[in-house]
Amino acid sequence: MKKGLSILFVLLAVFVLAACTANESAGEEDQDSGDQTGTTEEGTSENSGDKVLRLNNGVEPTSFDPPEGFDAASWQSLNNLMEGLTRLGQDHKPQAATAESWDISDDGLEYTFHIRDNAKWSNGDDVTADDFVYAWTRLLDPEEGFSSAFLGYFIQGGEAFNSGEGSADDLGLEAVDEKTFKVTLEAPTGFFLNVISNPAFFPVNKAVAEENPEWYAEADTFVANGPFKLSEWNHDSDFTMVKNDQYWDKDTVKLDEVHWAMVNETNTEYQMFESGDLDTSEIPADLAEDLLDSDQVVIDPQAGTQFYRFNVNKEPFQNVKIRKALAMAVNQDEIVEYVTKKGEKPARGFVSYGFEDPSGNDFRETNGDLVEYDPEQAKKLLEEGMEEEGYDELPPITLTYNTSDDNKKIAETVQQRFQQDLGIEITLENAEWNVFLQDQKDLKHQLSRSSFLADYGDPINFLESFVTDSSMNRTGWSNEKYDDLIARAKEEADEEKRWELMYEAEKVLFEEMPIVPVNFYNQVFLHKDNVSGIVRHPVGYMELKWADKN
């Protein structure tokens, strides 16, 4: 058997920051840590002597349906309830999980996965190849309309099926036998084993789903195949996971329960941590200077970017010069130094630090700063753009963000900078996460806050978000040259040529400026002294399989 290429991902050992409520689709609204006490329907409680970890999910999970729960509000917990063919290990590289091994054809197009004999669902059913065929076909089904479907475009026939131009029968998915699953790809993809660790590729128990299409919506119908199973779910309040006694590697799992609260306010989360109601917490920005040196601080890298999206279909952002003017009036240094204050790196491109090309060079350093704070140039571009559009004054502008104290502070800083540097008065508007996200997908916002957390460890994951008609685009922007560069990069087997295509694509993105980058993320959390083994991957989600509480 030959194993696939491990991804070239350089961990950022320095720098700090918790991606406050950050994440959006390809990473979406990122929250974490917390919980409340109580007894689960499994009959265990904190007072029983069991190991109970208390975390905060921030908000109600969008969905525990794997391809639908495509954001950190869902997949932080979903990643611990379910498991794909591979799982990211403690070294952040893909390792054998539900599949105990795999074979890769010499041309890199065919992957044959051998599912463990003891891979079971929490109801005792075997995890089968048919469960993967069913789940992955559903991921790509255009009738479902999942925003995560683009991840399956690596699969032969995946994009054609999802776009309505192909058939499910043409997908490169085959159940060879009950425990053998064969996948054929469109082109060699060296990071494919990393891609399929994403929750969008989790299996679905076909028999359960066909009997109850809403199996994922409540604790008493949820069927898991991961380290934990869902025992209680009080919607918009809290939920509880317990150790899954059917999990193939259950002996590795040390925790008995994980309680998740839903507290969408960092100061409250920190107070709960201080009072002992939570075992982890993010750090409120106004306490960052005092707490960052604490022995309880755990700092992990994170591949992700906070940014703003222009809607190019709404005035005045149909004009590229006006977009560039506002982008150049955003002072990234000011935001990370005086607003968020947790050591984030300012973002002057979209792809974050930490991705190494074939020559050993970091993508971000190589492609350089593609936008910089320059109020004088911003004024000049604004005047030129307004003249091109025949504006005596700009149409009213509203900046919309999802409800969060941190998001509000950043938006207020941007509002003030636009007023001081450009003489533009903008209105701020906030909305709760689910409403905000749907309106953003529907292109109802004019200028809106966004964030991206990588779904897998390659720069193409960042850049594919802005191809025409991508569910992740959410700007209305379209560029044929950009689309062509991304398509060629996905098909290019020569790694040096592939990276050159990605470098060029990011430059095209910033020549048109449908987005304004703000900062790159890191993950900074406070942990109780008796908590260990929580793994937060740079590419999106958290692992509790190895977590412990003494």
Side-chain angles (χ1 to χ4, degrees):
M1 179 194 77
K2 74 185 181 173
K3 298 280 184 176
L5 300 174
S6 61
I7 61 168
L8 297 174
F9 195 96
V10 178
L11 300 183
L12 309 174
V14 160
F15 310 84
V16 286
L17 167 73
C20 30
T21 41
N23 187 343
E24 248 181 63
S25 49
E28 289 272 347
E29 251 349 75
D30 159 65
Q31 299 356 95
D32 174 49
S33 8
D35 158 289
Q36 296 170 356
T37 62
T39 301
T40 75
E41 62 185 41
E42 300 293 322
T44 56
S45 75
E46 289 189 60
N47 301 318
S48 67
D50 289 338
K51 293 185 176 182
V52 181
L53 185 67
R54 295 161 300 174
L55 302 176
N56 178 32
N57 201 60
V59 295
E60 170 83 354
T62 306
S63 177
F64 280 156
D65 182 7
E68 180 69 20
F70 193 55
D71 51 57
S74 304
W75 72 18
Q76 297 284 29
S77 43
L78 186 58
N79 186 58
N80 295 285
L81 291 167
M82 302 188 75
E83 180 172 86
L85 295 163
T86 61
R87 188 177 200 90
L88 298 186
Q90 291 167 286
D91 61 356
H92 311 299
K93 296 180 180 179
Q95 63 180 27
T98 299
E100 62 183 353
S101 63
W102 49 85
D103 306 306
I104 306 174
S105 63
D106 290 340
D107 61 7
L109 292 177
E110 293 182 355
Y111 285 69
T112 302
F113 295 94
H114 306 287
I115 299 170
R116 298 176 188 274
D117 287 338
N118 61 342
K120 302 280 187 180
W121 292 100
S122 55
N123 66 354
D125 291 349
D126 280 336
V127 178
T128 68
D130 275 336
D131 292 334
F132 281 96
V133 172
Y134 176 81
W136 292 19
T137 301
R138 184 168 171 267
L139 164 69
L140 290 161
D141 190 338
E143 295 297 320
E144 299 286 354
F146 294 126
S147 62
S148 56
F150 74 95
L151 290 175
Y153 288 1
F154 296 105
I155 299 166
Q156 184 181 73
E159 185 171 7
F161 176 45
N162 187 245
S163 64
E165 298 175 358
S167 166
D169 294 335
D170 299 326
L171 292 175
L173 305 174
E174 179 185 355
V176 178
D177 57 41
E178 186 177 16
K179 290 287 187 176
T180 308
F181 177 47
K182 182 179 177 181
V183 183
T184 304
L185 305 183
E186 288 280 0
T189 306
F191 47 87
F192 183 64
L193 296 175
N194 187 287
V195 175
I196 61 174
S197 69
N198 186 282
F201 292 95
F202 289 163
V204 170
N205 187 313
K206 182 179 178 181
V208 168
E210 288 182 338
E211 181 177 347
N212 175 18
E214 299 293 315
W215 63 274
Y216 51 81
E218 301 293 341
D220 59 359
T221 56
F222 190 88
V223 182
N225 77 315
F228 299 89
K229 58 185 178 180
L230 192 61
S231 64
E232 187 174 2
W233 189 357
N234 302 305
H235 292 283
D236 296 307
S237 175
D238 60 86
F239 59 95
T240 301
M241 308 184 316
V242 297
K243 183 175 178 177
N244 182 4
D245 58 3
Q246 296 291 322
Y247 181 53
W248 67 269
D249 198 20
K250 63 183 179 183
D251 291 344
T252 297
V253 181
K254 301 178 179 66
L255 296 174
D256 296 294
E257 294 184 19
V258 184
H259 291 172
W260 300 78
M262 301 179 195
V263 178
N264 191 21
E265 209 284 307
T266 308
N267 285 306
T268 302
E269 180 183 61
Y270 175 69
Q271 291 166 7
M272 293 175 69
F273 175 81
E274 284 289 278
S275 66
D277 292 325
L278 292 178
D279 291 316
T280 74
S281 174
E282 295 186 40
I283 297 177
D286 55 358
L287 297 177
E289 293 181 10
D290 297 327
L291 295 176
L292 279 177
D293 292 331
S294 168
D295 292 338
Q296 293 182 311
V297 168
V298 176
I299 301 172
D300 294 306
Q302 185 169 46
T305 311
Q306 179 163 216
F307 64 106
Y308 287 101
R309 299 178 193 261
F310 292 114
N311 185 341
V312 303
N313 295 327
K314 289 185 179 291
E315 291 190 275
F317 300 130
Q318 77 280 7
N319 186 282
V320 64
K321 289 183 178 178
I322 294 175
R323 297 198 299 268
K324 285 185 175 182
L326 268 65
M328 297 177 77
V330 174
N331 189 336
Q332 290 92 345
D333 287 316
E334 176 183 44
I335 291 170
V336 299
E337 289 177 17
Y338 301 109
V339 182
T340 57
K341 297 186 293 187
K342 297 175 186 174
E344 308 93 320
K345 278 193 171 186
R348 298 187 178 94
F350 190 63
V351 178
S352 69
Y353 292 91
F355 295 94
E356 191 175 273
D357 70 16
S359 300
N361 300 314
D362 186 271
F363 184 103
R364 181 72 279 125
E365 293 177 357
T366 300
N367 228 28
D369 295 340
L370 301 181
V371 60
E372 295 187 69
Y373 174 62
D374 188 339
E376 292 305 315
Q377 180 65 10
K379 289 177 185 176
K380 180 175 181 294
L381 287 170
L382 180 61
E383 291 173 359
E384 292 175 0
M386 290 179 65
E387 183 177 350
E388 289 177 359
E389 300 298 330
Y391 291 145
D392 292 326
E393 60 181 35
L394 282 179
I397 295 174
T398 298
L399 188 161
T400 310
Y401 60 92
N402 53 296
T403 304
S404 154
D405 281 354
D406 290 335
N407 293 344
K408 179 182 179 182
K409 291 175 183 176
I410 295 171
E412 288 173 342
T413 302
V414 171
Q415 179 187 47
Q416 184 179 43
R417 187 53 58 196
F418 286 173
Q419 197 282 323
Q420 291 181 355
D421 291 345
L422 300 177
I424 297 174
E425 299 285 349
I426 68 169
T427 300
L428 302 185
E429 182 178 85
N430 71 293
E432 294 305 314
W433 169 241
N434 286 327
V435 174
F436 171 86
L437 179 59
Q438 190 58 55
D439 284 350
Q440 189 178 70
K441 290 178 178 179
D442 293 341
L443 295 183
K444 292 182 178 179
H445 297 149
Q446 185 182 19
L447 172 62
S448 61
R449 179 262 171 192
S450 246
S451 62
F452 176 85
L453 297 181
D455 308 304
Y456 56 91
D458 192 89
I460 197 69
N461 184 215
F462 285 74
L463 299 172
E464 67 186 347
S465 297
F466 298 102
V467 298
T468 301
D469 296 330
S470 168
S471 61
M472 308 303 296
N473 190 318
R474 304 175 195 170
T475 64
W477 179 71
S478 175
N479 183 284
E480 289 185 9
K481 181 179 180 181
Y482 186 84
D483 292 351
D484 179 63
L485 288 167
I486 298 302
R488 288 164 57 195
K490 287 187 172 183
E491 296 173 356
E492 181 58 65
D494 184 306
E495 279 295 287
E496 289 189 2
K497 292 180 180 178
R498 189 174 76 88
W499 281 71
E500 286 302 321
L501 290 168
M502 293 191 292
Y503 286 136
E504 186 178 354
E506 192 191 40
K507 289 176 181 176
V508 171
L509 180 67
F510 278 82
E511 287 169 4
E512 294 273 317
M513 205 71 74
I515 60 171
V516 186
V518 177
N519 64 271
F520 296 124
Y521 288 125
N522 282 326
Q523 304 179 81
V524 178
F525 285 90
L526 294 164
H527 283 198
K528 292 295 186 183
D529 295 336
N530 61 343
V531 171
S532 62
I534 295 176
V535 177
R536 292 184 174 89
H537 298 301
V539 291
Y541 21 86
M542 178 174 63
E543 302 279 359
L544 300 175
K545 177 175 178 175
W546 301 283
D548 199 1
K549 184 176 177 182
N550 299 317

